[in-house]
Amino acid sequence: MTDLKYPIIDQVKGPDGDLVPLLDVPMMSDEKWDKMVKEQQEKHPEEYEEMFKQMREHPELYPGMITPLDSFDQLQ
């Protein structure tokens, strides 16, 4: 577990009717995320090439992957 603590900003009813805390968790925009990924790919191209190779060779290890792997290559 982590020691991170986030403020509770509200409470909402869950599916079972119980109150669930709504946390103020910092978020990042997709644009910022994409920019940071591109910067990392430029700094460490060999690591990304190896990662993409592993993903192509062993797709069974990435069952949540719904985007075609080639779309990741476009970020390079």
Side-chain angles (χ1 to χ4, degrees):
M1 278 296 211
T2 178
D3 290 331
L4 294 176
K5 297 181 186 335
Y6 298 103
I8 297 172
I9 58 174
D10 202 355
Q11 291 187 1
V12 296
K13 280 192 177 180
D16 58 1
D18 289 343
L19 288 177
V20 178
L22 180 61
L23 304 178
D24 186 16
V25 178
M27 302 297 285
M28 182 184 303
S29 70
D30 289 344
E31 292 81 14
K32 184 173 181 178
W33 177 267
D34 291 341
K35 181 179 181 257
M36 291 173 65
V37 168
K38 184 163 180 62
E39 289 170 356
Q40 286 299 309
Q41 286 178 323
E42 290 170 357
K43 288 180 187 175
H44 310 284
E46 64 288 342
E47 291 178 18
Y48 280 83
E49 288 171 21
E50 180 62 26
M51 178 181 65
F52 294 140
K53 179 182 172 196
Q54 290 295 318
M55 293 171 88
R56 284 189 189 93
E57 290 175 356
H58 304 285
E60 71 279 3
L61 299 176
Y62 306 94
M65 186 65 62
I66 58 171
T67 305
L69 291 172
D70 289 339
S71 70
F72 287 106
D73 289 340
Q74 295 173 6
L75 295 174
Q76 294 182 355

